[in-house]
Amino acid sequence: METINSEIFTLTYGSIVRQLITDLEDLEEVNKQLDTMGYNIGIRLIDEFLAKSKTTKCVDFRDTADKIARIGFRMFLSASASVSSWNADNTACNLVLEDNPLVDFVELPENCTSLKFCNVLCGVIRGALEMVNIRVECTIAKDTLKGDDATELHLKLLSHGAESYPFKDDD
């Protein structure tokens, strides 16, 4: 798989966020735009993930979250992640990124405390999972740019659709 230098990727992403702040002038709109950008990336990224990861079908939401953390983040961000804080129903958890490459070289100014700089990750996860009939809510639970020790994304399962095939089998 082709890769680019992580520093170039990080700086390019930072430039995109900076331009959105300049153009939109409203941090809530920037947060929405980052989520939308991520969603659009996710609906395309899932094909590459499924083709190149050689992973088996997920058996449940717990397995899905584990594969996102162990395989997905390493494959696309060269970052390791873990899954923690499962609820009793196994329908909500946190994905913990100890080393988030998106925040390298980034310091949020005081007037940008409501900016969700890594909201693109939430959109990517949401978009990718929707393409395999899993609806989730993804939010940033902790952010290293705001003083936390790691970046944590909270995942909550909303629904899991049955697989459907676009073609009928000929009898």
Side-chain angles (χ1 to χ4, degrees), residues 3-12 77-78 101-102 104-105:
T3 61
I4 65 167
N5 182 302
S6 65
E7 290 176 356
I8 291 173
F9 173 72
T10 301
L11 293 171
T12 302
L77 282 180
S78 298
L102 289 182
D104 290 346
F105 317 115

Side-chain angles (χ1 to χ4, degrees), residues 104-119:
D104 290 346
F105 317 115
V106 177
E107 289 182 25
L108 288 182
E110 300 234 352
N111 64 339
C112 290
T113 55
S114 64
L115 177 67
K116 297 175 184 172
F117 190 82
C118 296
N119 218 28

Side-chain angles (χ1 to χ4, degrees), residues 3-155:
T3 61
I4 65 167
N5 182 302
S6 65
E7 290 176 356
I8 291 173
F9 173 72
T10 301
L11 293 171
T12 302
Y13 179 71
S15 296
I16 290 169
V17 173
R18 178 70 185 125
Q19 191 62 49
L20 284 172
I21 293 169
T22 301
D23 291 348
L24 300 175
E25 298 177 355
D26 176 19
L27 294 180
E28 285 307 312
E29 272 306 308
V30 173
N31 293 337
K32 289 177 189 173
Q33 190 64 35
L34 290 172
D35 182 72
T36 301
M37 287 170 51
Y39 179 84
N40 291 329
I41 293 168
I43 62 176
R44 289 166 180 78
L45 215 58
I46 188 67
D47 290 332
E48 187 169 347
F49 175 81
L50 293 172
K52 294 185 178 181
S53 68
K54 297 180 175 72
T55 187
T56 58
K57 182 179 175 180
C58 296
V59 293
D60 57 16
F61 186 60
R62 193 176 191 106
D63 189 30
T64 301
D66 186 57
K67 286 182 181 177
I68 291 169
R70 285 185 313 103
I71 302 169
F73 279 109
R74 181 164 312 283
M75 181 183 282
F76 296 111
L77 282 180
S78 298
S80 58
S82 59
V83 184
S84 68
S85 305
W86 281 100
N87 68 355
D89 298 336
N90 285 331
T91 58
C93 65
N94 287 352
L95 299 177
V96 182
L97 286 104
E98 296 293 333
D99 183 33
N100 180 356
L102 289 182
V103 299
D104 290 346
F105 317 115
V106 177
E107 289 182 25
L108 288 182
E110 300 234 352
N111 64 339
C112 290
T113 55
S114 64
L115 177 67
K116 297 175 184 172
F117 190 82
C118 296
N119 218 28
V120 70
L121 296 176
C122 293
V124 168
I125 291 169
R126 203 170 47 81
L129 291 179
E130 278 191 24
M131 292 299 103
V132 291
N133 296 322
I134 301 172
R135 288 192 53 243
V136 296
E137 178 183 285
C138 185
T139 55
I140 298 174
K142 291 186 180 179
D143 191 343
T144 55
L145 294 176
K146 296 179 181 170
D148 296 315
D149 57 343
T151 301
E152 285 191 28
L153 306 176
H154 181 73
L155 273 181

